[in-house]
Amino acid sequence: MSEGEERRGWAAMIFPAGSADVFGAVRGSRQLHWTREAAFKEAEAWVAEMRAGPIRWESVGDGIMIGRIRGYGVVVRSVLLPLGPPPPSVEGESA
């Protein structure tokens, strides 16, 4: 990775569409992916399990893709990783 290049992690999430009673993802990446393609593959595997595909994708900005399937919205997004090593207070902590 070159100096100044942004380091990104990628995650996938599935949200119910049109449900006022649900306030979060019903499926989500347990850990970040190194590439956008890996996050897409994870989302596509969930949708295949749900038999709800295919996903209709659209880009809504840098690092965010939104997909639509029957009854759900699918999000693949990136997050910038911090530079340098983690501070001593968080090393070894588990999520």
Side-chain angles (χ1 to χ4, degrees), residues 41-88:
K41 285 182 182 179
E42 182 176 37
E44 289 166 352
W46 295 334
V47 170
E49 286 176 22
M50 298 166 65
R51 300 175 194 226
I55 305 171
R56 296 178 314 277
W57 292 106
E58 65 181 89
S59 177
V60 294
D62 182 39
I64 301 175
M65 298 289 293
I66 293 184
R68 289 175 172 66
I69 59 173
R70 187 178 57 249
Y72 295 89
V74 183
V75 176
V76 168
R77 67 156 301 173
S78 68
V79 61
L80 293 177
L81 301 174
L83 299 174

Side-chain angles (χ1 to χ4, degrees), residues 6 9-10 21 30-31 35-37 44-46 52-53 55 59-60 64 75 84 91 95:
E6 293 180 334
W10 293 86
D21 296 332
R30 293 192 58 184
Q31 64 184 46
T35 65
R36 181 174 71 170
E37 290 74 23
E44 289 166 352
W46 295 334
I55 305 171
S59 177
V60 294
I64 301 175
V75 176
E91 281 190 38

